[in-house]
């Protein structure tokens, strides 16, 4: 079986530019879900250091009891939310984001075992909590979806992708992060009920996608709109699938980034351009979308494989017309790619690392390497890799990762950089 496919867990260029003082107003610099406010890897506007060359950022706090897992974190109103497994149970965890002190911990499912899915690259939850209003939505690696009270973690409702919706646990566990859209929660159990929308207050099913029967993979859904027609899009082994937000009817599909091993990164949407990439020979694709009656026409602009972007699970971000991320081509490289043409602009070797995850905040890239636990601050540039300093994990987990590495994505919120390695969470002060 090919190496490391497992975590998810993957751009609405919409974060408006605000003029902030160096003090971030509560709520203005939140990171409420997977890949930030708009699911595009971009943090909310906040004033941050532009260089770490003189000194690495100061460690503000650390938390050492997050348990086993690859879940990233969400931060809303001074509270941090994540997931982990310990004592054979899967928990949602809430911390004080200013101090790292635990506020509550709620058991949401049993812990997974090697009988549930392949634990060869590590077990534990892979999903990031979604925080919206007074609720927190979490998904365990065995497919238990739960709505919790944000205040105290009390379970409001819970449903299982397999027993309740006919899904099947993927080879490396369920990994998507729930999408909240108004009064609905949208998720992907897979199989005949490939994508479903649930009432956020009750957990009752509103609709199932129509015309799709495909296995769940590790991709998180994003929402888009073309010509007034709104859609949800995700990906599976056969490729990209999009459905109408109101009915669940399929509106378009594209097979170019599908593969038979694992499809993981979240798509990136910029107006009517949809970009997606995955590993295992799939490469990357750009589609031009146009509303067409009750469907959406998806015209291929390009599909590139080989020595182009072939992102495993660290995700990519779009900034000023350039896609930045890690490709598994050539043994692992940080890479910049022109969005509209697909041209590779530059590559940067990352050995001994083989992969890395990424986010964007206040005009800078945060590139988190998977083997040595280092984060490189990089100035985005079309012509070259421009590093502006590096920090490294103060210590690495003592939990066995098996064949796994450091795969939780970096998060920037409240003028802090938050990085995780299994049971360890570190918060660094990056304010300027």
């Amino acid at each position: 079986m090919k190496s490391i496919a497992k975590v998810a867990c993957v751009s609405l260029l919409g974060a408006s530019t605000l003029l902030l003082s160096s003090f971030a107003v509560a709520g203005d610099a939140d990171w409420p879900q997977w890949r930030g406010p708009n699911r595009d890897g971009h943090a909310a506007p906040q004033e941050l250091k532009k260089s770490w060359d003189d000194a690495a950022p100061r460690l503000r706090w650390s938390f050492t009891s997050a348990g086993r897992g690859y879940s990233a974190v969400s931060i809303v109103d001074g509270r941090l939310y994540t997931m982990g497994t310990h004592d054979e149970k899967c928990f949602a965890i809430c911390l004080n984001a200013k101090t790292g002190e635990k506020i509550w911990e709620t058991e949401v499912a049993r812990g997974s075992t090697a009988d549930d899915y392949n634990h060869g690259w590590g077990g534990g939850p892979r999903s990031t909590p979604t925080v919206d209003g007074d609720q927190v939505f979490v998904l365990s690696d065995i497919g238990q979806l739960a709505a919790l009270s944000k205040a105290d973690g009390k379970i409001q409702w819970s449903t299982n992708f397999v027993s309740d919706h006919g899904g099947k646990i993927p080879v490396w566990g369920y990994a998507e992060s729930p999408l909240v859209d108004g009064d609905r929660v949208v998720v992907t159990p897979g199989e005949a009920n490939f994508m479903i929308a649930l009432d956020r207050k009750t957990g009752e099913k509103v609709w199932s996608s129509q015309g799709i029967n495909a296995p769940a993979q590790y991709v998180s859904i994003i929402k888009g709109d073309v010509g007034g027609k709104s859609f949800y899009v995700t990906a599976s082994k056969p490729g990209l699938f999009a459905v109408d937000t109101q009915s669940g009817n399929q509106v378009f599909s594209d097979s170019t980034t599908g593969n038979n091993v694992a499809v993981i990164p979240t798509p990136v949407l910029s107006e009517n351009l949809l970009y997606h990439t995955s590993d295992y020979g799939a490469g990357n694709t750009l589609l031009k979308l146009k509303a067409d009656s009750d469907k959406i026409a998806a015209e291929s602009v390009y599909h590139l494989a080989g020595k182009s972007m072939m992102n495993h699970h660290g995700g990519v971000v779009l900034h000023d017309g350039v896609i930045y991320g890690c490709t598994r081509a050539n043994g692992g490289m940080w890479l910049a790619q022109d969005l509209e043409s697909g041209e590779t602009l530059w590559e940067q070797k990352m050995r001994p690392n083989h992969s890395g995850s990424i986010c964007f905040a206040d005009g800078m890239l945060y590139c988190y390497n998977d083997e040595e636990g280092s984060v490189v601050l990089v100035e985005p540039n079309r012509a070259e890799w421009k590093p502006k300093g590096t920090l490294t994990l103060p210590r690495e987990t003592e939990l066995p990762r098996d064949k796994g590495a450091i795969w939780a994505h970096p998060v920037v919120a409240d003028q802090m950089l938050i990085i995780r390695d299994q049971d360890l969470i570190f918060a660094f002060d990056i304010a300027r």
Side-chain angles (χ1 to χ4, degrees):
M1 195 162 295
K2 295 189 179 181
S3 67
I4 8 184
K6 46 279 123 194
V7 202
C9 331
V10 24
S11 160
L12 297 164
L13 288 177
S16 56
T17 302
L18 302 177
L19 295 176
L20 298 179
S21 66
S22 59
F23 176 77
V25 179
D28 287 349
D30 288 346
W31 184 286
Q33 62 178 330
W34 169 246
R35 285 176 51 86
N38 296 310
R39 293 204 156 200
D40 58 4
H42 286 235
Q46 54 202 288
E47 292 194 344
L48 308 172
K49 291 180 178 179
K50 299 292 187 178
S51 175
W52 301 340
D53 285 334
D54 293 337
R58 175 182 64 88
L59 179 65
R60 182 180 289 186
W61 56 258
S62 60
F63 181 72
T64 60
S65 302
R68 185 183 303 277
Y70 294 110
S71 299
V73 308
S74 298
I75 295 181
V76 173
D77 295 335
R79 289 186 171 194
L80 179 152
Y81 304 86
T82 192
M83 301 184 72
T85 294
H86 58 80
D87 300 326
E88 300 181 347
K89 298 174 182 178
C90 179
F91 293 89
I93 303 165
C94 175
L95 308 179
N96 183 317
K98 293 178 172 54
T99 65
E101 296 174 323
K102 187 191 297 182
I103 297 174
W104 53 254
E105 181 177 278
T106 299
E107 180 185 346
V108 295
R110 66 172 175 82
S112 64
T113 71
D115 291 332
D116 294 309
Y117 63 86
N118 187 339
H119 272 211
W121 288 268
R126 289 101 153 86
S127 173
T128 298
T130 302
V131 187
D132 189 89
D134 59 1
Q135 292 177 290
V136 181
F137 299 90
V138 297
L139 177 66
S140 81
D141 47 336
I142 59 171
Q144 195 71 30
L145 175 69
L148 313 178
S149 164
K150 188 171 74 170
D152 57 13
K154 183 178 179 180
I155 296 177
Q156 299 172 340
W157 56 261
S158 184
T159 188
N160 186 269
F161 281 4
V162 178
S163 60
D164 298 332
H165 301 287
K168 182 179 179 182
I169 301 175
V171 174
W172 291 281
Y174 278 108
E176 77 168 316
S177 299
L179 174 67
V180 176
D181 183 23
D183 59 0
R184 298 174 181 176
V185 184
V186 191
V187 287
T188 316
E191 308 304 318
N193 287 320
F194 177 69
M195 187 187 296
I196 59 174
L198 305 176
D199 184 292
R200 67 180 289 170
K201 294 300 184 183
T202 66
E204 295 297 317
K205 187 164 68 174
V206 178
W207 53 248
S208 295
S209 58
Q210 302 298 308
I212 307 170
N213 191 328
Q217 286 294 280
Y218 315 92
V219 186
S220 292
I221 301 163
I222 62 171
K223 183 182 180 181
D225 185 282
V226 173
K229 188 169 186 60
S230 60
F231 61 91
Y232 302 125
V233 61
T234 189
S236 178
K237 288 184 177 181
L240 289 162
F241 291 107
V243 306
D244 180 84
T245 59
Q246 298 305 308
S247 65
N249 291 333
Q250 182 176 331
V251 292
F252 73 84
S253 64
D254 181 84
S255 64
T256 49
T257 50
N259 70 72
N260 289 323
V261 182
V263 181
I264 305 173
T266 299
V268 172
L269 186 63
S270 177
E271 297 181 348
N272 68 331
L273 296 177
L274 179 67
Y275 177 93
H276 190 235
T277 174
S278 73
D279 196 9
Y280 304 103
N284 58 87
T285 196
L286 184 69
L287 303 176
K288 182 179 289 186
L289 307 179
K290 182 180 179 180
D292 183 12
S293 185
D294 61 342
K295 299 284 187 179
I296 293 174
E299 175 190 350
S300 176
V301 179
Y302 59 76
H303 171 232
L304 303 169
K307 296 182 179 181
S308 184
M309 182 66 76
M310 196 153 18
N311 189 260
H312 193 200
H313 50 66
V316 299
V317 296
L318 173 64
H319 174 65
D320 282 350
V322 179
I323 292 284
Y324 296 94
C326 177
T327 180
R328 285 284 295 279
N330 298 327
M333 296 270 198
W334 289 106
L335 183 145
Q337 179 185 20
D338 184 81
L339 173 69
E340 294 193 4
S341 70
E343 176 190 1
T344 294
L345 302 174
W346 53 254
E347 293 179 312
Q348 174 65 33
K349 293 180 180 179
M350 58 189 307
R351 294 297 179 88
N353 307 286
H354 299 283
S355 187
S357 51
I358 191 170
C359 72
F360 177 94
D362 194 25
M364 303 295 285
L365 302 170
Y366 293 76
C367 301
Y368 192 18
N369 293 306
D370 72 339
E371 292 289 342
E372 53 190 13
S374 60
V375 180
V376 185
L377 183 68
V378 178
E379 179 183 326
N381 188 285
R382 292 182 63 90
E384 59 181 333
W385 165 267
K386 295 189 70 172
K388 296 294 181 179
T390 302
L391 70 80
T392 303
L393 288 172
R395 65 186 177 100
E396 294 188 18
T397 185
E398 295 181 3
L399 295 177
R401 296 196 198 100
D402 301 306
K403 298 177 184 177
I406 299 169
W407 290 326
H409 287 210
V411 166
V412 174
D414 290 345
Q415 297 179 300
M416 295 183 295
L417 169 65
I418 298 93
I419 51 179
R420 178 178 180 175
D421 179 17
Q422 298 289 330
D423 53 331
L424 308 178
I425 300 175
F426 300 98
F428 294 90
D429 186 347
I430 55 173
R432 60 178 164 95

